[in-house]
Amino acid sequence: MLEIKNLHARVEGREILRGIDLSVGAGEVHAIMGPNGSGKSTLASVIAGKPEYEVTEGSITLGDADLLELTPEERAAEGLFLAFQYPIEIPGVSNTYFLRAALNSVRKHRGEPEVSMTEFMKHIRSKAAAMDMDQAMLSRAVNEGFSGGEKKRNEIFQMAVLEPKIAVLDETDSGLDIDALKIVADGVNALRSPERGFVVITHYQRLLNYIVPDFVHVLVDGRIVRSGGKELALQLEDQGYGFLEEELAGQARS
Amino acid sequence: MTTDLQSRPRGIGSDYEKVRKLLGSYGPERLEELRDEAIRAFAAVGIPTTKDEEFKYLPLRVLEEGQFASAYGATVSRHEAESGAIGKIEAATIAFVNGQAAPELSHPYVLPGGVFLGTLEDGFGVIADVLDEHLGKIATLAGKLGTTNDDRFVQLNTAYLSEGAVLFVPKGVVVETPIHIQYLNRADHGPCAIYPRTLIVLEADAQAKVVESHVGLDGIVFSNAVTEIWLGHSAKLEHCKVQIEGEHSVHIAKVGAHQEVGSTLTSNNVNFGGKIVRNDIDVFLGGEHTETWLNGANVGSGEQVVDNHTRIDHAMPNCHSFEVYKTVLADKAQGVFNGKIFVYKDAQKTDAKQTNQALLLSPTAAINTKPQLEIFADDVKCTHGASIGQLREDALFYLRSRGIPYAEARSLLVYAFVAEVLDKITVPDLRDSLERMLFEKLRSVSELPPAEETGA
């Protein structure tokens, strides 16, 4: 479903991604792990189309769509969702208005009719209830004054409302205590389905205890250096990223 | 030229002699002296030009040439009053049409004992001592710091003082119901000059929320409003001044407030209407440990000129003031922000924070911004920041990443920029209708997704 081939990208003239290949099928959960500065968040930003990143080589496709040819909003309409590492506060715009504008934009792009207000409210109320979210949060301004945990929960809630084909979670676990982590993970697990793929970016293995991946990839220095099953994450937890970096250094010497 | 027989006056203030007798029928005799004195003071300086420092960016020739007749009567139905720009606000309401009391539009509520909400005229019968003590004493800058102090529009308003509104809340009384002082203007027989006057007095520990609205229904109006506010020891007032005059009208208003020890004033100043708009929001801190919040939300389009001058006199130590003024300008609209903060010699431990931000939506829109801090104490914290700006890129990307197209996302952030200030209003009916109005106004100049009843 999501195909990334030989992706090279840079920001401010510095090359961060140096040839990424990744294929995420429907129903699969892929974890991307790696040390700080390895390019994990850059990968998420490039997939979503953040303007300051420049792709110099390679391709990203979602189904038939060439994502690199599309604006961020068109990518969303194609079914891509990015859960931000640092969700943005937008004082003055309520969650409800924001989500309805988003949902209707996506529907319009797909040639579907706008949802009525009644339908929409029913839709988001049920999603909020499933996320154990306070209904009062719906009328509050987007992320304004939310705690770290509330912001992350709001990201997953938005994902539930927009029902994407592919969701990229950028360090959704960062800054969460264990209770908040569980809530967020439950939210993600509830959205797992045979039609939907996930890319879960994380520095720590901890999150993967709750969102169990089908595949684990290790990103070092802008490249995926190792791919495996969920046991790879456990090995990294035990041994740290050091052993991989040493192996790589060894390969480079030989 | 046939000037003598012309029924309409040449310049603002020039028909004073003609209406003097009529004005004399309002209020006690001693007001006549006050009016005479005021017109003399105004006539001595006249209508300002852009050479006058305080009116540098305000084109007021129209006041010379606009042939504004002094207020004449007009009729407004309750339906019009409640379905107009602001809509119906659940509040104890006192209404005026072209400056004249309109009891048929008023909405009496049972207010707590001792509270007076009525016309100045009635006030002189019930709380004459309060009026004598404060009316005309608060708005003036006489004797205060500053080299360019300019009271001429306060004088002009005082010269034409006739009917007006008074709210008096006695010691310790908390008025839960919002108070709405509604000035509705309808110039259906040619340009009309209106001089709304409001006095709000909260005694010690009293609390109230007041909406003062100026709404144009028809025609060209010159509305010269003066509001005086007195806050006693630990009193608390939220004052929302909402200006939605007609698109060819001139609105020049002054809000003068005096704060005693421990009092809190929140001033929300909202301007969506009018062609030429000027507000002076001046607060004198006459006691320690006061809190002052000045919030401004302004949107101009077409050829509107929106000029806000604010002034805070930190005359006593340990007072805090926070000011946020935001302005969005489209088309050829012009904005002005001048924020004066005087910290007097003894006002140690003053904490004053001033922010003003503008968004210009077209290359022909412009704003002149001038923070003006004059500090005579040495142990104070005063900050000011001005930005003329760009929308936040991170927020723009966030909205787009959720599927909202670029143009809509931009408009939504423009809306949010102003709505953030409106969110501070704690009278829900008012806040909702202002947000709706903001939305409609911005929709006419940019692309916004439909709102319906989402309460954006």
Side-chain angles (χ1 to χ4, degrees):
Chain A
M1 198 157 46
L2 179 71
E3 297 287 342
I4 300 177
K5 287 189 183 138
N6 190 32
L7 184 68
H8 291 252
R10 60 185 181 188
V11 62
E12 289 165 1
R14 214 156 47 89
E15 186 164 51
I16 311 281
L17 301 182
R18 313 208 275 175
I20 304 260
D21 291 287
L22 181 68
S23 174
V24 181
E28 295 174 0
V29 174
H30 290 245
I32 310 261
M33 302 184 69
N36 290 327
S38 58
K40 301 189 299 291
S41 283
T42 298
L43 178 60
S45 298
V46 170
I47 295 173
K50 200 169 185 191
E52 57 263 40
Y53 293 85
E54 187 196 350
V55 173
T56 52
E57 215 182 319
S59 67
I60 308 176
T61 54
L62 175 55
D64 298 330
D66 177 358
L67 292 192
L68 295 180
E69 290 296 313
L70 302 180
T71 61
E73 55 270 31
E74 289 166 339
R75 296 180 197 203
E78 287 297 327
L80 177 74
F81 182 90
L82 170 65
F84 281 54
Q85 182 177 4
Y86 303 108
I88 310 295
E89 296 193 12
I90 308 183
V93 177
S94 77
N95 259 320
T96 309
Y97 180 78
F98 164 58
L99 276 172
R100 183 148 178 270
L103 190 64
N104 279 332
S105 297
V106 167
R107 291 177 68 93
K108 194 171 160 193
H109 183 89
R110 294 178 187 156
E112 295 164 6
E114 294 197 346
V115 285
S116 76
M117 196 60 203
T118 329
E119 258 176 274
F120 174 74
M121 288 312 292
K122 220 167 101 187
H123 179 61
I124 62 167
R125 287 215 176 96
S126 75
K127 300 291 182 187
M131 284 293 297
D132 202 17
M133 248 175 73
D134 189 351
Q135 301 279 341
M137 252 168 93
L138 298 176
S139 52
R140 283 171 61 185
V142 179
N143 291 325
E144 190 189 15
F146 285 22
S147 70
E150 282 173 335
K151 282 182 184 170
K152 296 298 175 80
R153 201 191 304 191
N154 198 24
E155 292 292 287
I156 305 305
F157 166 65
Q158 292 173 25
M159 178 165 86
V161 170
L162 296 174
E163 299 176 322
K165 289 184 201 151
I166 282 278
V168 179
L169 277 57
D170 186 10
E171 307 220 13
T172 294
D173 51 332
S174 68
L176 293 189
D177 62 30
I178 196 72
D179 292 330
L181 185 75
K182 278 184 190 160
I183 292 168
V184 164
D186 286 348
V188 172
N189 288 328
L191 292 171
R192 287 179 77 156
S193 85
E195 296 85 42
R196 184 170 292 138
F198 285 88
V199 177
V200 180
I201 292 173
T202 179
H203 184 78
Y204 301 103
Q205 189 271 337
R206 190 179 70 152
L207 177 66
L208 306 180
N209 289 335
Y210 301 97
I211 304 173
V212 180
D214 302 305
F215 303 94
V216 174
H217 310 276
V218 183
L219 192 63
V220 176
D221 205 13
R223 287 191 188 90
I224 289 175
V225 297
R226 177 75 58 96
S227 296
K230 59 181 183 247
E231 65 290 342
L232 178 56
L234 294 169
Q235 192 186 356
L236 287 169
E237 173 85 346
D238 280 350
Q239 300 176 268
Y241 291 106
F243 86 95
L244 269 176
E245 282 163 346
E246 278 164 31
E247 268 187 33
L248 286 172
Q251 284 168 14
R253 275 194 297 275
S254 61
Chain B
M1 282 186 48
T2 56
T3 47
D4 286 353
L5 295 174
Q6 205 170 306
S7 62
R8 290 189 165 270
R10 268 299 282 165
I12 281 298
S14 64
D15 68 347
Y16 179 73
E17 282 307 323
K18 212 171 84 184
V19 295
R20 186 172 177 274
K21 208 171 157 214
L22 179 69
L23 294 169
S25 64
Y26 293 103
E29 237 169 77
R30 59 184 179 278
L31 286 187
E32 285 187 26
E33 206 179 310
L34 191 69
R35 291 189 194 101
D36 286 346
E37 218 176 279
I39 197 67
R40 276 196 297 273
F42 176 77
V45 285
I47 296 163
T49 69
T50 50
K51 287 186 187 123
D52 290 292
E53 179 62 25
E54 290 298 305
F55 296 93
K56 217 169 161 177
Y57 302 105
L58 206 60
L60 290 175
R61 276 179 74 97
V62 63
L63 297 187
E64 302 273 9
E65 297 163 359
Q67 303 202 336
F68 292 93
S70 279
Y72 51 76
T75 313
V76 174
S77 71
R78 182 176 284 276
H79 175 73
E80 283 176 300
E82 291 180 352
S83 65
I86 297 185
K88 187 171 167 16
I89 296 173
E90 239 359 272
T93 303
I94 177 167
F96 297 82
V97 173
N98 290 1
Q100 294 173 11
E104 71 280 9
L105 301 178
S106 296
H107 225 285
Y109 259 75
V110 178
L111 294 170
V115 173
F116 177 85
L117 173 65
T119 62
L120 275 174
E121 176 87 343
D122 291 345
F124 275 110
V126 184
I127 45 166
D129 52 332
V130 175
L131 270 66
D132 282 340
E133 194 180 340
H134 298 298
L135 186 67
K137 311 280 171 59
I138 307 167
T140 174
L141 292 173
K144 291 173 187 166
L145 286 180
T147 52
T148 57
N149 292 355
D150 199 323
D151 272 341
R152 71 184 88 191
F153 283 105
V154 176
Q155 306 287 15
L156 181 65
N157 174 284
T158 302
Y160 286 85
L161 182 65
S162 53
E163 286 193 283
V166 186
L167 171 67
F168 169 73
V169 185
K171 196 165 184 271
V173 173
V174 175
V175 185
E176 304 278 359
T177 314
I179 308 283
H180 186 187
I181 300 170
Q182 189 174 27
Y183 293 105
L184 297 160
N185 299 325
R186 160 163 280 166
D188 51 4
H189 289 83
C192 172
I194 295 158
Y195 301 94
R197 182 81 175 208
T198 309
L199 175 66
I200 298 167
V201 176
L202 268 58
E203 286 192 332
D205 299 306
Q207 293 184 25
K209 292 177 185 182
V210 175
V211 177
E212 177 190 332
S213 67
H214 299 263
V215 174
L217 297 172
D218 286 302
I220 303 176
V221 168
F222 167 55
S223 152
N224 172 206
V226 170
T227 300
E228 293 181 289
I229 295 171
W230 176 275
L231 298 186
H233 195 299
S234 300
K236 250 189 191 159
L237 175 72
E238 176 176 336
H239 179 254
C240 305
K241 180 176 176 294
V242 179
Q243 180 278 120
I244 310 160
E245 293 286 4
E247 57 177 336
H248 301 293
S249 293
V250 180
H251 179 84
I252 299 183
K254 157 89 168 215
V255 176
H258 176 102
Q259 291 188 245
E260 288 285 282
V261 181
S263 61
T264 304
L265 171 68
T266 304
S267 156
N268 300 313
N269 175 17
V270 181
N271 295 283
F272 292 162
K275 169 84 181 285
I276 297 169
V277 175
R278 164 65 173 262
N279 286 285
D280 282 83
I281 310 285
D282 297 353
V283 185
F284 187 87
L285 307 178
E288 293 191 49
H289 302 289
T290 58
E291 242 182 57
T292 309
W293 302 81
L294 301 187
N295 304 314
N298 308 282
V299 181
S301 60
E303 295 186 355
Q304 281 181 287
V305 180
V306 189
D307 178 340
N308 285 299
H309 276 53
T310 65
R311 163 181 176 130
I312 303 173
D313 285 68
H314 276 271
M316 296 295 275
N318 298 306
C319 293
H320 294 189
S321 64
F322 309 91
E323 179 170 7
V324 179
Y325 263 68
K326 294 198 178 189
T327 305
V328 171
L329 300 169
D331 308 328
K332 290 181 178 167
Q334 308 288 306
V336 180
F337 175 81
N338 179 293
K340 293 188 183 69
I341 295 176
F342 292 99
V343 181
Y344 289 53
K345 196 165 145 270
D346 299 328
Q348 303 296 359
K349 306 283 181 199
T350 287
D351 189 348
K353 191 169 192 285
Q354 179 191 93
T355 309
N356 86 85
Q357 298 175 323
L359 282 180
L360 305 180
L361 302 183
S362 91
T364 46
I367 185 157
N368 284 289
T369 279
K370 187 178 178 192
Q372 205 177 326
L373 278 57
E374 295 188 29
I375 301 167
F376 301 97
D378 50 19
D379 183 14
V380 302
K381 210 164 90 189
C382 289
T383 62
H384 66 88
S387 72
I388 295 174
Q390 299 305 317
L391 293 169
R392 287 167 49 209
E393 285 296 331
D394 60 347
L396 199 56
F397 176 63
Y398 191 66
L399 294 174
R400 296 177 74 194
S401 80
R402 297 298 180 254
I404 300 173
Y406 180 76
E408 279 185 26
R410 272 187 60 96
S411 303
L412 196 52
L413 290 177
V414 173
Y415 169 84
F417 175 81
V418 181
E420 189 185 356
V421 179
L422 300 181
D423 276 349
K424 296 173 198 247
I425 293 171
T426 69
V427 179
D429 293 349
L430 177 68
R431 187 183 55 226
D432 292 351
S433 57
L434 288 176
E435 289 186 347
R436 216 167 31 240
M437 244 182 284
L438 168 66
F439 197 87
E440 290 311 319
K441 176 137 187 164
L442 288 176
R443 239 191 146 187
S444 66
V445 295
S446 61
E447 291 177 45
L448 269 169
E452 284 179 41
E453 67 271 49
T454 37

